[in-house]
mmCIF file with all atom_site columns, all heavy atoms in Angstrom:
data_model
loop_
_atom_site.group_PDB
_atom_site.id
_atom_site.type_symbol
_atom_site.label_atom_id
_atom_site.label_alt_id
_atom_site.label_comp_id
_atom_site.label_asym_id
_atom_site.label_entity_id
_atom_site.label_seq_id
_atom_site.pdbx_PDB_ins_code
_atom_site.Cartn_x
_atom_site.Cartn_y
_atom_site.Cartn_z
_atom_site.occupancy
_atom_site.B_iso_or_equiv
_atom_site.pdbx_formal_charge
_atom_site.auth_seq_id
_atom_site.auth_comp_id
_atom_site.auth_asym_id
_atom_site.auth_atom_id
_atom_site.pdbx_PDB_model_num
ATOM 1   N N   . GLU A 1 1  ? 0.818  -1.200  -0.039  1.00 0.00 ? 1  GLU A N   1
ATOM 2   C CA  . GLU A 1 1  ? -0.013 -0.003  -0.004  1.00 0.00 ? 1  GLU A CA  1
ATOM 3   C C   . GLU A 1 1  ? 0.840  1.252   -0.008  1.00 0.00 ? 1  GLU A C   1
ATOM 4   O O   . GLU A 1 1  ? 0.564  2.226   -0.735  1.00 0.00 ? 1  GLU A O   1
ATOM 5   C CB  . GLU A 1 1  ? -0.909 0.052   1.197   1.00 0.00 ? 1  GLU A CB  1
ATOM 6   C CG  . GLU A 1 1  ? -1.907 1.132   1.267   1.00 0.00 ? 1  GLU A CG  1
ATOM 7   C CD  . GLU A 1 1  ? -2.808 1.171   2.487   1.00 0.00 ? 1  GLU A CD  1
ATOM 8   O OE1 . GLU A 1 1  ? -3.175 0.041   2.927   1.00 0.00 ? 1  GLU A OE1 1
ATOM 9   O OE2 . GLU A 1 1  ? -3.082 2.243   3.000   1.00 0.00 ? 1  GLU A OE2 1
ATOM 10  N N   . GLN A 1 2  ? 1.913  1.246   0.805   1.00 0.00 ? 2  GLN A N   1
ATOM 11  C CA  . GLN A 1 2  ? 2.802  2.436   0.797   1.00 0.00 ? 2  GLN A CA  1
ATOM 12  C C   . GLN A 1 2  ? 3.480  2.577   -0.506  1.00 0.00 ? 2  GLN A C   1
ATOM 13  O O   . GLN A 1 2  ? 3.595  3.760   -0.972  1.00 0.00 ? 2  GLN A O   1
ATOM 14  C CB  . GLN A 1 2  ? 3.840  2.228   2.005   1.00 0.00 ? 2  GLN A CB  1
ATOM 15  C CG  . GLN A 1 2  ? 3.226  2.461   3.336   1.00 0.00 ? 2  GLN A CG  1
ATOM 16  C CD  . GLN A 1 2  ? 4.309  2.055   4.361   1.00 0.00 ? 2  GLN A CD  1
ATOM 17  O OE1 . GLN A 1 2  ? 4.913  1.015   4.365   1.00 0.00 ? 2  GLN A OE1 1
ATOM 18  N NE2 . GLN A 1 2  ? 4.372  2.961   5.423   1.00 0.00 ? 2  GLN A NE2 1
ATOM 19  N N   . ILE A 1 3  ? 3.995  1.525   -1.084  1.00 0.00 ? 3  ILE A N   1
ATOM 20  C CA  . ILE A 1 3  ? 4.672  1.639   -2.386  1.00 0.00 ? 3  ILE A CA  1
ATOM 21  C C   . ILE A 1 3  ? 3.756  2.127   -3.447  1.00 0.00 ? 3  ILE A C   1
ATOM 22  O O   . ILE A 1 3  ? 4.140  2.995   -4.267  1.00 0.00 ? 3  ILE A O   1
ATOM 23  C CB  . ILE A 1 3  ? 5.323  0.271   -2.703  1.00 0.00 ? 3  ILE A CB  1
ATOM 24  C CG1 . ILE A 1 3  ? 6.438  -0.047  -1.748  1.00 0.00 ? 3  ILE A CG1 1
ATOM 25  C CG2 . ILE A 1 3  ? 5.847  0.364   -4.206  1.00 0.00 ? 3  ILE A CG2 1
ATOM 26  C CD1 . ILE A 1 3  ? 7.037  -1.400  -1.866  1.00 0.00 ? 3  ILE A CD1 1
ATOM 27  N N   . SER A 1 4  ? 2.543  1.627   -3.500  1.00 0.00 ? 4  SER A N   1
ATOM 28  C CA  . SER A 1 4  ? 1.596  2.076   -4.476  1.00 0.00 ? 4  SER A CA  1
ATOM 29  C C   . SER A 1 4  ? 1.103  3.486   -4.298  1.00 0.00 ? 4  SER A C   1
ATOM 30  O O   . SER A 1 4  ? 0.610  4.108   -5.213  1.00 0.00 ? 4  SER A O   1
ATOM 31  C CB  . SER A 1 4  ? 0.364  1.119   -4.602  1.00 0.00 ? 4  SER A CB  1
ATOM 32  O OG  . SER A 1 4  ? -0.383 1.127   -3.367  1.00 0.00 ? 4  SER A OG  1
ATOM 33  N N   . SER A 1 5  ? 1.253  4.027   -3.028  1.00 0.00 ? 5  SER A N   1
ATOM 34  C CA  . SER A 1 5  ? 0.897  5.384   -2.763  1.00 0.00 ? 5  SER A CA  1
ATOM 35  C C   . SER A 1 5  ? 1.926  6.423   -3.100  1.00 0.00 ? 5  SER A C   1
ATOM 36  O O   . SER A 1 5  ? 1.692  7.663   -2.965  1.00 0.00 ? 5  SER A O   1
ATOM 37  C CB  . SER A 1 5  ? 0.449  5.588   -1.281  1.00 0.00 ? 5  SER A CB  1
ATOM 38  O OG  . SER A 1 5  ? 1.622  5.593   -0.454  1.00 0.00 ? 5  SER A OG  1
ATOM 39  N N   . ILE A 1 6  ? 3.104  5.960   -3.516  1.00 0.00 ? 6  ILE A N   1
ATOM 40  C CA  . ILE A 1 6  ? 4.222  6.877   -3.853  1.00 0.00 ? 6  ILE A CA  1
ATOM 41  C C   . ILE A 1 6  ? 3.789  7.896   -4.915  1.00 0.00 ? 6  ILE A C   1
ATOM 42  O O   . ILE A 1 6  ? 3.257  7.384   -5.924  1.00 0.00 ? 6  ILE A O   1
ATOM 43  C CB  . ILE A 1 6  ? 5.469  6.150   -4.212  1.00 0.00 ? 6  ILE A CB  1
ATOM 44  C CG1 . ILE A 1 6  ? 6.051  5.428   -2.942  1.00 0.00 ? 6  ILE A CG1 1
ATOM 45  C CG2 . ILE A 1 6  ? 6.527  7.056   -4.845  1.00 0.00 ? 6  ILE A CG2 1
ATOM 46  C CD1 . ILE A 1 6  ? 7.288  4.456   -3.340  1.00 0.00 ? 6  ILE A CD1 1
ATOM 47  N N   . THR A 1 7  ? 3.907  9.120   -4.665  1.00 0.00 ? 7  THR A N   1
ATOM 48  C CA  . THR A 1 7  ? 3.632  10.175  -5.667  1.00 0.00 ? 7  THR A CA  1
ATOM 49  C C   . THR A 1 7  ? 4.986  10.849  -5.981  1.00 0.00 ? 7  THR A C   1
ATOM 50  O O   . THR A 1 7  ? 5.452  11.545  -5.083  1.00 0.00 ? 7  THR A O   1
ATOM 51  C CB  . THR A 1 7  ? 2.618  11.198  -5.059  1.00 0.00 ? 7  THR A CB  1
ATOM 52  O OG1 . THR A 1 7  ? 1.437  10.455  -4.573  1.00 0.00 ? 7  THR A OG1 1
ATOM 53  C CG2 . THR A 1 7  ? 2.275  12.194  -6.097  1.00 0.00 ? 7  THR A CG2 1
ATOM 54  N N   . LEU A 1 8  ? 5.458  10.604  -7.141  1.00 0.00 ? 8  LEU A N   1
ATOM 55  C CA  . LEU A 1 8  ? 6.721  11.161  -7.557  1.00 0.00 ? 8  LEU A CA  1
ATOM 56  C C   . LEU A 1 8  ? 6.672  12.641  -7.829  1.00 0.00 ? 8  LEU A C   1
ATOM 57  O O   . LEU A 1 8  ? 5.750  13.163  -8.377  1.00 0.00 ? 8  LEU A O   1
ATOM 58  C CB  . LEU A 1 8  ? 7.257  10.471  -8.753  1.00 0.00 ? 8  LEU A CB  1
ATOM 59  C CG  . LEU A 1 8  ? 7.562  8.993   -8.505  1.00 0.00 ? 8  LEU A CG  1
ATOM 60  C CD1 . LEU A 1 8  ? 8.038  8.366   -9.825  1.00 0.00 ? 8  LEU A CD1 1
ATOM 61  C CD2 . LEU A 1 8  ? 8.588  8.706   -7.419  1.00 0.00 ? 8  LEU A CD2 1
ATOM 62  N N   . GLN A 1 9  ? 7.687  13.400  -7.423  1.00 0.00 ? 9  GLN A N   1
ATOM 63  C CA  . GLN A 1 9  ? 7.837  14.797  -7.706  1.00 0.00 ? 9  GLN A CA  1
ATOM 64  C C   . GLN A 1 9  ? 8.284  14.918  -9.158  1.00 0.00 ? 9  GLN A C   1
ATOM 65  O O   . GLN A 1 9  ? 9.403  14.611  -9.493  1.00 0.00 ? 9  GLN A O   1
ATOM 66  C CB  . GLN A 1 9  ? 8.840  15.467  -6.802  1.00 0.00 ? 9  GLN A CB  1
ATOM 67  C CG  . GLN A 1 9  ? 8.876  16.955  -6.871  1.00 0.00 ? 9  GLN A CG  1
ATOM 68  C CD  . GLN A 1 9  ? 9.918  17.483  -5.919  1.00 0.00 ? 9  GLN A CD  1
ATOM 69  O OE1 . GLN A 1 9  ? 10.919 16.835  -5.637  1.00 0.00 ? 9  GLN A OE1 1
ATOM 70  N NE2 . GLN A 1 9  ? 9.597  18.716  -5.337  1.00 0.00 ? 9  GLN A NE2 1
ATOM 71  N N   . PRO A 1 10 ? 7.434  15.326  -10.104 1.00 0.00 ? 10 PRO A N   1
ATOM 72  C CA  . PRO A 1 10 ? 7.733  15.212  -11.563 1.00 0.00 ? 10 PRO A CA  1
ATOM 73  C C   . PRO A 1 10 ? 8.913  16.092  -11.979 1.00 0.00 ? 10 PRO A C   1
ATOM 74  O O   . PRO A 1 10 ? 9.553  15.687  -13.011 1.00 0.00 ? 10 PRO A O   1
ATOM 75  C CB  . PRO A 1 10 ? 6.452  15.668  -12.221 1.00 0.00 ? 10 PRO A CB  1
ATOM 76  C CG  . PRO A 1 10 ? 5.635  16.367  -11.233 1.00 0.00 ? 10 PRO A CG  1
ATOM 77  C CD  . PRO A 1 10 ? 6.109  15.910  -9.894  1.00 0.00 ? 10 PRO A CD  1
ATOM 78  N N   . GLU A 1 11 ? 9.221  17.167  -11.342 1.00 0.00 ? 11 GLU A N   1
ATOM 79  C CA  . GLU A 1 11 ? 10.437 17.934  -11.669 1.00 0.00 ? 11 GLU A CA  1
ATOM 80  C C   . GLU A 1 11 ? 11.680 17.231  -11.390 1.00 0.00 ? 11 GLU A C   1
ATOM 81  O O   . GLU A 1 11 ? 12.737 17.627  -11.860 1.00 0.00 ? 11 GLU A O   1
ATOM 82  C CB  . GLU A 1 11 ? 10.439 19.289  -10.911 1.00 0.00 ? 11 GLU A CB  1
ATOM 83  C CG  . GLU A 1 11 ? 9.154  20.138  -10.949 1.00 0.00 ? 11 GLU A CG  1
ATOM 84  C CD  . GLU A 1 11 ? 8.173  19.650  -9.959  1.00 0.00 ? 11 GLU A CD  1
ATOM 85  O OE1 . GLU A 1 11 ? 8.482  19.348  -8.775  1.00 0.00 ? 11 GLU A OE1 1
ATOM 86  O OE2 . GLU A 1 11 ? 6.954  19.583  -10.350 1.00 0.00 ? 11 GLU A OE2 1
ATOM 87  N N   . GLU A 1 12 ? 11.631 16.121  -10.557 1.00 0.00 ? 12 GLU A N   1
ATOM 88  C CA  . GLU A 1 12 ? 12.844 15.501  -10.117 1.00 0.00 ? 12 GLU A CA  1
ATOM 89  C C   . GLU A 1 12 ? 12.855 13.953  -10.535 1.00 0.00 ? 12 GLU A C   1
ATOM 90  O O   . GLU A 1 12 ? 13.891 13.480  -10.795 1.00 0.00 ? 12 GLU A O   1
ATOM 91  C CB  . GLU A 1 12 ? 13.058 15.634  -8.652  1.00 0.00 ? 12 GLU A CB  1
ATOM 92  C CG  . GLU A 1 12 ? 13.513 16.975  -8.181  1.00 0.00 ? 12 GLU A CG  1
ATOM 93  C CD  . GLU A 1 12 ? 14.011 16.965  -6.749  1.00 0.00 ? 12 GLU A CD  1
ATOM 94  O OE1 . GLU A 1 12 ? 14.672 15.963  -6.341  1.00 0.00 ? 12 GLU A OE1 1
ATOM 95  O OE2 . GLU A 1 12 ? 13.806 17.975  -6.049  1.00 0.00 ? 12 GLU A OE2 1
ATOM 96  N N   . LEU A 1 13 ? 11.716 13.349  -10.455 1.00 0.00 ? 13 LEU A N   1
ATOM 97  C CA  . LEU A 1 13 ? 11.702 11.852  -10.657 1.00 0.00 ? 13 LEU A CA  1
ATOM 98  C C   . LEU A 1 13 ? 10.706 11.463  -11.672 1.00 0.00 ? 13 LEU A C   1
ATOM 99  O O   . LEU A 1 13 ? 9.614  11.993  -11.711 1.00 0.00 ? 13 LEU A O   1
ATOM 100 C CB  . LEU A 1 13 ? 11.357 11.209  -9.234  1.00 0.00 ? 13 LEU A CB  1
ATOM 101 C CG  . LEU A 1 13 ? 12.285 11.557  -8.126  1.00 0.00 ? 13 LEU A CG  1
ATOM 102 C CD1 . LEU A 1 13 ? 11.772 10.945  -6.858  1.00 0.00 ? 13 LEU A CD1 1
ATOM 103 C CD2 . LEU A 1 13 ? 13.689 11.039  -8.365  1.00 0.00 ? 13 LEU A CD2 1
ATOM 104 N N   . ARG A 1 14 ? 11.111 10.429  -12.418 1.00 0.00 ? 14 ARG A N   1
ATOM 105 C CA  . ARG A 1 14 ? 10.199 9.862   -13.451 1.00 0.00 ? 14 ARG A CA  1
ATOM 106 C C   . ARG A 1 14 ? 9.641  8.478   -13.135 1.00 0.00 ? 14 ARG A C   1
ATOM 107 O O   . ARG A 1 14 ? 8.647  8.127   -13.721 1.00 0.00 ? 14 ARG A O   1
ATOM 108 C CB  . ARG A 1 14 ? 10.861 9.955   -14.791 1.00 0.00 ? 14 ARG A CB  1
ATOM 109 C CG  . ARG A 1 14 ? 11.971 8.890   -15.083 1.00 0.00 ? 14 ARG A CG  1
ATOM 110 C CD  . ARG A 1 14 ? 12.387 8.707   -16.500 1.00 0.00 ? 14 ARG A CD  1
ATOM 111 N NE  . ARG A 1 14 ? 12.784 10.019  -17.104 1.00 0.00 ? 14 ARG A NE  1
ATOM 112 C CZ  . ARG A 1 14 ? 14.023 10.437  -17.112 1.00 0.00 ? 14 ARG A CZ  1
ATOM 113 N NH1 . ARG A 1 14 ? 15.009 9.745   -16.706 1.00 0.00 ? 14 ARG A NH1 1
ATOM 114 N NH2 . ARG A 1 14 ? 14.257 11.648  -17.725 1.00 0.00 ? 14 ARG A NH2 1
ATOM 115 N N   . ALA A 1 15 ? 10.293 7.752   -12.217 1.00 0.00 ? 15 ALA A N   1
ATOM 116 C CA  . ALA A 1 15 ? 9.838  6.405   -11.991 1.00 0.00 ? 15 ALA A CA  1
ATOM 117 C C   . ALA A 1 15 ? 10.344 5.908   -10.700 1.00 0.00 ? 15 ALA A C   1
ATOM 118 O O   . ALA A 1 15 ? 11.356 6.391   -10.182 1.00 0.00 ? 15 ALA A O   1
ATOM 119 C CB  . ALA A 1 15 ? 10.202 5.436   -13.165 1.00 0.00 ? 15 ALA A CB  1
ATOM 120 N N   . VAL A 1 16 ? 9.742  4.807   -10.194 1.00 0.00 ? 16 VAL A N   1
ATOM 121 C CA  . VAL A 1 16 ? 10.179 4.106   -9.049  1.00 0.00 ? 16 VAL A CA  1
ATOM 122 C C   . VAL A 1 16 ? 10.354 2.648   -9.402  1.00 0.00 ? 16 VAL A C   1
ATOM 123 O O   . VAL A 1 16 ? 9.555  2.134   -10.239 1.00 0.00 ? 16 VAL A O   1
ATOM 124 C CB  . VAL A 1 16 ? 9.199  4.256   -7.785  1.00 0.00 ? 16 VAL A CB  1
ATOM 125 C CG1 . VAL A 1 16 ? 7.865  3.648   -8.064  1.00 0.00 ? 16 VAL A CG1 1
ATOM 126 C CG2 . VAL A 1 16 ? 9.774  3.714   -6.537  1.00 0.00 ? 16 VAL A CG2 1
ATOM 127 N N   . HIS A 1 17 ? 11.447 1.970   -8.944  1.00 0.00 ? 17 HIS A N   1
ATOM 128 C CA  . HIS A 1 17 ? 11.705 0.601   -9.262  1.00 0.00 ? 17 HIS A CA  1
ATOM 129 C C   . HIS A 1 17 ? 11.976 -0.155  -7.930  1.00 0.00 ? 17 HIS A C   1
ATOM 130 O O   . HIS A 1 17 ? 12.425 0.391   -6.980  1.00 0.00 ? 17 HIS A O   1
ATOM 131 C CB  . HIS A 1 17 ? 12.961 0.547   -10.119 1.00 0.00 ? 17 HIS A CB  1
ATOM 132 C CG  . HIS A 1 17 ? 12.949 1.388   -11.396 1.00 0.00 ? 17 HIS A CG  1
ATOM 133 N ND1 . HIS A 1 17 ? 12.339 0.914   -12.553 1.00 0.00 ? 17 HIS A ND1 1
ATOM 134 C CD2 . HIS A 1 17 ? 13.319 2.652   -11.669 1.00 0.00 ? 17 HIS A CD2 1
ATOM 135 C CE1 . HIS A 1 17 ? 12.493 1.842   -13.441 1.00 0.00 ? 17 HIS A CE1 1
ATOM 136 N NE2 . HIS A 1 17 ? 13.001 2.866   -12.946 1.00 0.00 ? 17 HIS A NE2 1
ATOM 137 N N   . ARG A 1 18 ? 11.593 -1.385  -7.979  1.00 0.00 ? 18 ARG A N   1
ATOM 138 C CA  . ARG A 1 18 ? 11.975 -2.321  -6.945  1.00 0.00 ? 18 ARG A CA  1
ATOM 139 C C   . ARG A 1 18 ? 12.939 -3.401  -7.531  1.00 0.00 ? 18 ARG A C   1
ATOM 140 O O   . ARG A 1 18 ? 12.492 -4.106  -8.376  1.00 0.00 ? 18 ARG A O   1
ATOM 141 C CB  . ARG A 1 18 ? 10.690 -3.025  -6.358  1.00 0.00 ? 18 ARG A CB  1
ATOM 142 C CG  . ARG A 1 18 ? 9.837  -1.992  -5.587  1.00 0.00 ? 18 ARG A CG  1
ATOM 143 C CD  . ARG A 1 18 ? 8.761  -2.732  -4.920  1.00 0.00 ? 18 ARG A CD  1
ATOM 144 N NE  . ARG A 1 18 ? 7.588  -2.813  -5.722  1.00 0.00 ? 18 ARG A NE  1
ATOM 145 C CZ  . ARG A 1 18 ? 6.491  -3.418  -5.330  1.00 0.00 ? 18 ARG A CZ  1
ATOM 146 N NH1 . ARG A 1 18 ? 6.374  -3.976  -4.154  1.00 0.00 ? 18 ARG A NH1 1
ATOM 147 N NH2 . ARG A 1 18 ? 5.429  -3.414  -6.119  1.00 0.00 ? 18 ARG A NH2 1
ATOM 148 N N   . LEU A 1 19 ? 14.179 -3.387  -7.055  1.00 0.00 ? 19 LEU A N   1
ATOM 149 C CA  . LEU A 1 19 ? 15.175 -4.273  -7.709  1.00 0.00 ? 19 LEU A CA  1
ATOM 150 C C   . LEU A 1 19 ? 15.964 -5.044  -6.592  1.00 0.00 ? 19 LEU A C   1
ATOM 151 O O   . LEU A 1 19 ? 16.185 -4.546  -5.520  1.00 0.00 ? 19 LEU A O   1
ATOM 152 C CB  . LEU A 1 19 ? 16.162 -3.357  -8.424  1.00 0.00 ? 19 LEU A CB  1
ATOM 153 C CG  . LEU A 1 19 ? 15.567 -2.469  -9.543  1.00 0.00 ? 19 LEU A CG  1
ATOM 154 C CD1 . LEU A 1 19 ? 16.591 -1.449  -9.958  1.00 0.00 ? 19 LEU A CD1 1
ATOM 155 C CD2 . LEU A 1 19 ? 15.112 -3.352  -10.713 1.00 0.00 ? 19 LEU A CD2 1
ATOM 156 N N   . GLU A 1 20 ? 16.329 -6.264  -7.005  1.00 0.00 ? 20 GLU A N   1
ATOM 157 C CA  . GLU A 1 20 ? 17.314 -7.001  -6.197  1.00 0.00 ? 20 GLU A CA  1
ATOM 158 C C   . GLU A 1 20 ? 18.656 -6.234  -6.250  1.00 0.00 ? 20 GLU A C   1
ATOM 159 O O   . GLU A 1 20 ? 18.886 -5.532  -7.236  1.00 0.00 ? 20 GLU A O   1
ATOM 160 C CB  . GLU A 1 20 ? 17.471 -8.459  -6.826  1.00 0.00 ? 20 GLU A CB  1
ATOM 161 C CG  . GLU A 1 20 ? 16.204 -9.259  -6.847  1.00 0.00 ? 20 GLU A CG  1
ATOM 162 C CD  . GLU A 1 20 ? 15.736 -9.700  -5.498  1.00 0.00 ? 20 GLU A CD  1
ATOM 163 O OE1 . GLU A 1 20 ? 16.541 -9.742  -4.555  1.00 0.00 ? 20 GLU A OE1 1
ATOM 164 O OE2 . GLU A 1 20 ? 14.522 -10.012 -5.307  1.00 0.00 ? 20 GLU A OE2 1
ATOM 165 N N   . VAL A 1 21 ? 19.438 -6.377  -5.215  1.00 0.00 ? 21 VAL A N   1
ATOM 166 C CA  . VAL A 1 21 ? 20.688 -5.713  -5.245  1.00 0.00 ? 21 VAL A CA  1
ATOM 167 C C   . VAL A 1 21 ? 21.512 -5.970  -6.519  1.00 0.00 ? 21 VAL A C   1
ATOM 168 O O   . VAL A 1 21 ? 22.079 -5.033  -7.110  1.00 0.00 ? 21 VAL A O   1
ATOM 169 C CB  . VAL A 1 21 ? 21.495 -6.035  -3.879  1.00 0.00 ? 21 VAL A CB  1
ATOM 170 C CG1 . VAL A 1 21 ? 22.899 -5.445  -4.052  1.00 0.00 ? 21 VAL A CG1 1
ATOM 171 C CG2 . VAL A 1 21 ? 20.767 -5.574  -2.716  1.00 0.00 ? 21 VAL A CG2 1
ATOM 172 N N   . ALA A 1 22 ? 21.578 -7.196  -6.910  1.00 0.00 ? 22 ALA A N   1
ATOM 173 C CA  . ALA A 1 22 ? 22.378 -7.566  -8.081  1.00 0.00 ? 22 ALA A CA  1
ATOM 174 C C   . ALA A 1 22 ? 21.886 -6.880  -9.370  1.00 0.00 ? 22 ALA A C   1
ATOM 175 O O   . ALA A 1 22 ? 22.620 -6.620  -10.256 1.00 0.00 ? 22 ALA A O   1
ATOM 176 C CB  . ALA A 1 22 ? 22.369 -9.056  -8.283  1.00 0.00 ? 22 ALA A CB  1
ATOM 177 N N   . GLU A 1 23 ? 20.527 -6.606  -9.417  1.00 0.00 ? 23 GLU A N   1
ATOM 178 C CA  . GLU A 1 23 ? 19.983 -5.928  -10.639 1.00 0.00 ? 23 GLU A CA  1
ATOM 179 C C   . GLU A 1 23 ? 20.336 -4.461  -10.675 1.00 0.00 ? 23 GLU A C   1
ATOM 180 O O   . GLU A 1 23 ? 20.134 -3.810  -11.668 1.00 0.00 ? 23 GLU A O   1
ATOM 181 C CB  . GLU A 1 23 ? 18.450 -6.028  -10.570 1.00 0.00 ? 23 GLU A CB  1
ATOM 182 C CG  . GLU A 1 23 ? 17.922 -7.444  -10.697 1.00 0.00 ? 23 GLU A CG  1
ATOM 183 C CD  . GLU A 1 23 ? 16.441 -7.491  -10.611 1.00 0.00 ? 23 GLU A CD  1
ATOM 184 O OE1 . GLU A 1 23 ? 15.859 -7.024  -9.514  1.00 0.00 ? 23 GLU A OE1 1
ATOM 185 O OE2 . GLU A 1 23 ? 15.797 -8.032  -11.496 1.00 0.00 ? 23 GLU A OE2 1
ATOM 186 N N   . ILE A 1 24 ? 20.753 -3.863  -9.542  1.00 0.00 ? 24 ILE A N   1
ATOM 187 C CA  . ILE A 1 24 ? 21.117 -2.461  -9.521  1.00 0.00 ? 24 ILE A CA  1
ATOM 188 C C   . ILE A 1 24 ? 22.501 -2.159  -10.054 1.00 0.00 ? 24 ILE A C   1
ATOM 189 O O   . ILE A 1 24 ? 22.732 -1.141  -10.655 1.00 0.00 ? 24 ILE A O   1
ATOM 190 C CB  . ILE A 1 24 ? 21.003 -1.986  -8.014  1.00 0.00 ? 24 ILE A CB  1
ATOM 191 C CG1 . ILE A 1 24 ? 19.553 -2.129  -7.490  1.00 0.00 ? 24 ILE A CG1 1
ATOM 192 C CG2 . ILE A 1 24 ? 21.418 -0.539  -7.879  1.00 0.00 ? 24 ILE A CG2 1
ATOM 193 C CD1 . ILE A 1 24 ? 19.344 -1.910  -6.036  1.00 0.00 ? 24 ILE A CD1 1
ATOM 194 N N   . GLU A 1 25 ? 23.433 -3.145  -9.999  1.00 0.00 ? 25 GLU A N   1
ATOM 195 C CA  . GLU A 1 25 ? 24.748 -2.947  -10.475 1.00 0.00 ? 25 GLU A CA  1
ATOM 196 C C   . GLU A 1 25 ? 24.689 -2.582  -11.987 1.00 0.00 ? 25 GLU A C   1
ATOM 197 O O   . GLU A 1 25 ? 23.958 -3.201  -12.781 1.00 0.00 ? 25 GLU A O   1
ATOM 198 C CB  . GLU A 1 25 ? 25.637 -4.204  -10.249 1.00 0.00 ? 25 GLU A CB  1
ATOM 199 C CG  . GLU A 1 25 ? 27.039 -3.950  -10.592 1.00 0.00 ? 25 GLU A CG  1
ATOM 200 C CD  . GLU A 1 25 ? 27.906 -5.080  -10.087 1.00 0.00 ? 25 GLU A CD  1
ATOM 201 O OE1 . GLU A 1 25 ? 27.451 -6.255  -9.889  1.00 0.00 ? 25 GLU A OE1 1
ATOM 202 O OE2 . GLU A 1 25 ? 29.142 -4.856  -9.934  1.00 0.00 ? 25 GLU A OE2 1
ATOM 203 N N   . GLY A 1 26 ? 25.376 -1.625  -12.401 1.00 0.00 ? 26 GLY A N   1
ATOM 204 C CA  . GLY A 1 26 ? 25.328 -1.136  -13.774 1.00 0.00 ? 26 GLY A CA  1
ATOM 205 C C   . GLY A 1 26 ? 24.294 -0.091  -14.011 1.00 0.00 ? 26 GLY A C   1
ATOM 206 O O   . GLY A 1 26 ? 24.301 0.650   -15.059 1.00 0.00 ? 26 GLY A O   1
ATOM 207 N N   . ARG A 1 27 ? 23.342 0.073   -13.100 1.00 0.00 ? 27 ARG A N   1
ATOM 208 C CA  . ARG A 1 27 ? 22.305 1.134   -13.190 1.00 0.00 ? 27 ARG A CA  1
ATOM 209 C C   . ARG A 1 27 ? 22.674 2.318   -12.312 1.00 0.00 ? 27 ARG A C   1
ATOM 210 O O   . ARG A 1 27 ? 21.925 3.253   -12.220 1.00 0.00 ? 27 ARG A O   1
ATOM 211 C CB  . ARG A 1 27 ? 20.888 0.592   -12.913 1.00 0.00 ? 27 ARG A CB  1
ATOM 212 C CG  . ARG A 1 27 ? 20.552 -0.496  -13.873 1.00 0.00 ? 27 ARG A CG  1
ATOM 213 C CD  . ARG A 1 27 ? 19.193 -1.048  -13.711 1.00 0.00 ? 27 ARG A CD  1
ATOM 214 N NE  . ARG A 1 27 ? 18.265 -0.067  -14.207 1.00 0.00 ? 27 ARG A NE  1
ATOM 215 C CZ  . ARG A 1 27 ? 16.986 -0.148  -14.210 1.00 0.00 ? 27 ARG A CZ  1
ATOM 216 N NH1 . ARG A 1 27 ? 16.417 -1.299  -13.756 1.00 0.00 ? 27 ARG A NH1 1
ATOM 217 N NH2 . ARG A 1 27 ? 16.120 0.752   -14.709 1.00 0.00 ? 27 ARG A NH2 1
ATOM 218 N N   . VAL A 1 28 ? 23.751 2.199   -11.600 1.00 0.00 ? 28 VAL A N   1
ATOM 219 C CA  . VAL A 1 28 ? 24.264 3.215   -10.703 1.00 0.00 ? 28 VAL A CA  1
ATOM 220 C C   . VAL A 1 28 ? 25.834 3.304   -10.876 1.00 0.00 ? 28 VAL A C   1
ATOM 221 O O   . VAL A 1 28 ? 26.368 2.368   -11.358 1.00 0.00 ? 28 VAL A O   1
ATOM 222 C CB  . VAL A 1 28 ? 23.997 3.036   -9.208  1.00 0.00 ? 28 VAL A CB  1
ATOM 223 C CG1 . VAL A 1 28 ? 22.395 2.984   -9.010  1.00 0.00 ? 28 VAL A CG1 1
ATOM 224 C CG2 . VAL A 1 28 ? 24.504 1.714   -8.697  1.00 0.00 ? 28 VAL A CG2 1
#
């Protein structure tokens, strides 16, 4: 419920992702 209620600030953020730690490597 908390995750689905996230309202992104459009001037700063375009999306939210839920990733395993290994999936984050290469994206940061």
